[in-house]
């Protein structure tokens, strides 16, 4: 029998709390670091779930300000909100509720009962189906109406998703290549990335495993290089048609931006990202992320001023149709949640 917690207009069970957290852990995160923790407590009018950044999982070299960490946590926040909506609630999130506790990113309540729309069901159904991709896409066009729909999703979370035009695609590819080469010359960066790329047979439930990237980098035109997770060890999967010499399909190149660049904007970017990714997954699209240039301050500022009209670029991605990716690995829910005192 479930223990019930009395809410505003309904009773929220402990199973509901766990259901929401179990969904949240399936959000995407940089290098699959899963940089989040959750706490739950009863405040008398119902349960509150707190979302925390797990600072120990921040990429201290690539992400010294924690921007990508908070984007990852924002994606988890949106996923939790969606799970609550799927259960028939209208969740309420209070962002950054305590300035003295910077790791506390949000307090989320289930809220009153609400209708479950078909769109909520559709997006929720993609939480575990969504896959990241590292390589070229199939030669299948992404329709303009689909692209427009994804942009609409981003706007609902106070962000923008702008599709790059031909010259912008070339420029963004070149900037990504430059950033990748600069980062590979930094021993600290290479060492940090290697810590999140376990070798074959690793039992870890985080990081980028060898099944998640191709053994031979797939060239696209314009080219967007992937990160060197294999480090010359010959790890990775064997991609189809890598010996033809014909460049693969780049797909739709898009930049996710926000009007500002503080912690609230980073959380908004993460929520917009997950909303876009789930809607893309419902259209059988996968996303390949290329954040290298956004981790080099000078290049990120160049992209902001020259290609984003002054808005702040938070994510650079390619979207297209890919073969089904490997199973997504996640840490057990019990490892990231705890009950707290009221």
């Amino acid at each position: 029998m479930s223990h019930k917690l009395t809410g505003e207009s309904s009773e929220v069970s402990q199973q509901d709390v766990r259901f929401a957290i179990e969904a949240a852990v399936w959000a995407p995160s940089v290098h699959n670091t899963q940089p989040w923790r959750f706490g739950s407590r009863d405040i008398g009018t119902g349960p509150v779930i707190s979302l925390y950044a797990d600072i120990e999982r921040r990429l201290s070299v690539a992400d010294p300000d924690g921007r990508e960490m908070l984007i990852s946590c924002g994606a988890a926040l949106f996923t939790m909100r969606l799970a609550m909506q799927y259960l028939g609630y209208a969740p309420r999130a209070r962002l950054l509720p305590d300035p003295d506790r910077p790791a506390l990113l949000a307090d989320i309540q289930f809220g009153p009962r609400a209708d479950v729309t078909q769109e909520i069901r559709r997006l929720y159904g993609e939480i575990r189906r969504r896959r990241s991709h590292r390589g070229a896409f199939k030669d299948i066009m992404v329709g303009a109406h689909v692209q427009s729909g994804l942009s609409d999703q981003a706007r609902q979370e106070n962000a923008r998703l702008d599709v790059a035009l031909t010259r912008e695609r070339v420029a963004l590819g070149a900037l990504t290549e430059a950033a990748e080469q600069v980062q590979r010359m930094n021993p600290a960066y290479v060492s940090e990335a290697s810590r999140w790329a376990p070798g074959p047979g690793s039992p870890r439930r985080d990081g980028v495993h060898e099944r998640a990237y191709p053994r031979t980098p797939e060239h696209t035109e314009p080219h967007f290089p992937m990160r060197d997770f294999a480090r010359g060890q010959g790890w990775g999967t064997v991609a189809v048609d890598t010996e033809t010499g014909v460049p693969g399909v780049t797909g739709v190149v898009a930049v996710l931006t926000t009007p500002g660049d503080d912690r609230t904007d980073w959380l908004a970017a993460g929520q917009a990202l997950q909303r876009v990714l789930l809607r893309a997954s419902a259209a059988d699209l996968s996303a390949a992320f290329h954040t290298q240039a956004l981790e080099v301050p000078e290049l990120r500022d160049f992209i902001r001023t020259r290609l984003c009209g002054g808005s702040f670029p938070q994510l650079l991605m390619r979207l297209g149709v890919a073969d089904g990716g490997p199973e997504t690995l996640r840490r057990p829910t019990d490892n990231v949640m705890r009950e707290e005192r009221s």
Side-chain angles (χ1 to χ4, degrees):
M1 180 180 296
S2 64
H3 172 62
K4 296 287 186 177
L5 300 169
T6 303
E8 269 183 74
S9 58
S10 61
E11 292 186 328
V12 180
S13 70
Q14 292 286 8
Q15 283 88 341
D16 290 343
V17 171
R18 186 178 182 90
F19 182 90
I21 296 174
E22 285 180 337
V25 302
W26 289 92
S29 59
V30 57
H31 292 4
N32 195 23
T33 50
Q34 304 170 45
W36 43 62
R37 295 183 293 106
F38 304 92
S40 65
R41 66 188 185 280
D42 184 5
I43 61 172
T45 57
V48 173
I49 300 177
S50 294
L51 167 63
Y52 299 90
D54 189 338
I55 307 299
E56 294 183 357
R57 289 177 169 267
R58 176 176 59 87
L59 303 176
S60 59
V61 179
D63 186 31
D65 296 328
R67 182 181 63 85
E68 292 181 310
M69 177 181 67
L70 262 67
I71 291 173
S72 302
C73 289
L77 173 58
F78 175 81
T79 313
M80 177 177 293
R81 289 170 46 208
L82 179 61
M84 291 177 174
Q85 291 175 316
Y86 182 78
L87 290 175
Y89 296 96
R92 297 170 178 170
R94 183 184 175 199
L95 302 184
L96 307 175
D98 188 346
D100 294 328
R101 302 170 68 191
L104 175 58
L105 303 181
D107 283 335
I108 308 99
Q109 294 179 275
F110 282 77
R113 281 292 184 180
D115 293 335
V116 183
T117 66
Q118 186 60 38
E119 180 68 2
I120 290 172
R121 293 189 177 95
R122 175 188 296 180
L123 294 182
Y124 176 83
E126 300 299 324
I127 290 175
R128 297 200 183 196
R129 181 173 176 264
R130 179 205 60 81
R131 294 287 186 274
S132 296
H133 181 65
R134 296 174 178 86
F137 291 112
K138 293 183 178 181
D139 191 9
I140 299 175
M141 181 178 295
V142 179
H145 68 288
V146 175
Q147 298 178 35
S148 176
L150 297 180
S151 295
D152 289 342
Q153 297 293 321
R155 280 192 289 271
Q156 293 186 50
E157 300 297 335
N158 196 32
R160 287 185 55 176
L161 185 74
D162 293 324
V163 174
L165 302 178
T166 301
R167 292 186 183 277
E168 294 170 337
R169 285 158 53 95
V170 174
L172 289 168
L175 291 167
T176 301
E177 176 68 41
E180 177 66 19
Q181 297 307 320
V182 167
Q183 289 176 326
R184 290 188 188 188
M185 292 188 294
N186 182 349
Y189 172 85
V190 173
S191 176
E192 179 176 77
S194 70
R195 290 198 297 273
W196 293 100
S202 171
R204 285 174 54 179
R205 303 294 296 178
D206 58 9
V208 183
H209 289 245
E210 81 281 1
R211 298 183 303 279
Y213 52 84
R215 181 176 304 171
T216 302
E218 298 179 71
H219 190 82
T220 61
E221 188 59 49
H223 185 51
F224 284 78
M226 71 174 194
R227 298 182 187 273
D228 184 21
F229 290 114
R231 307 187 300 281
Q233 300 297 315
W235 301 336
T237 60
V238 177
V240 179
D241 296 333
T242 55
E243 303 299 326
T244 64
V246 178
V249 175
T250 302
V252 172
V253 177
V255 183
L256 183 70
T257 68
T258 54
D261 199 36
D262 60 19
R263 285 159 56 87
T264 302
D265 292 294
W266 301 342
L267 288 172
Q271 294 186 83
L273 171 66
Q274 180 67 329
R275 184 185 281 273
V276 167
L277 294 180
L278 295 179
R279 190 62 187 83
S281 180
D284 294 324
L285 301 179
S286 297
F289 300 105
H290 298 278
T291 57
Q292 297 100 312
L294 303 185
E295 294 170 352
V296 178
E298 298 87 348
L299 296 182
R300 183 174 183 239
D301 190 60
F302 180 89
I303 292 172
R304 179 181 71 84
T305 57
R306 297 300 185 92
L307 300 174
C308 295
S311 295
F312 291 88
Q314 307 294 354
L315 257 300
L316 171 61
M317 70 186 86
R318 296 183 296 114
L319 296 159
V321 178
D323 292 319
E327 176 190 3
T328 302
L329 299 175
R330 289 294 183 272
R331 293 183 291 159
T333 303
D334 288 336
N335 287 9
V336 298
M337 66 175 292
R338 67 182 183 187
E339 290 190 17
E340 301 176 326
R341 294 182 178 180
S342 301

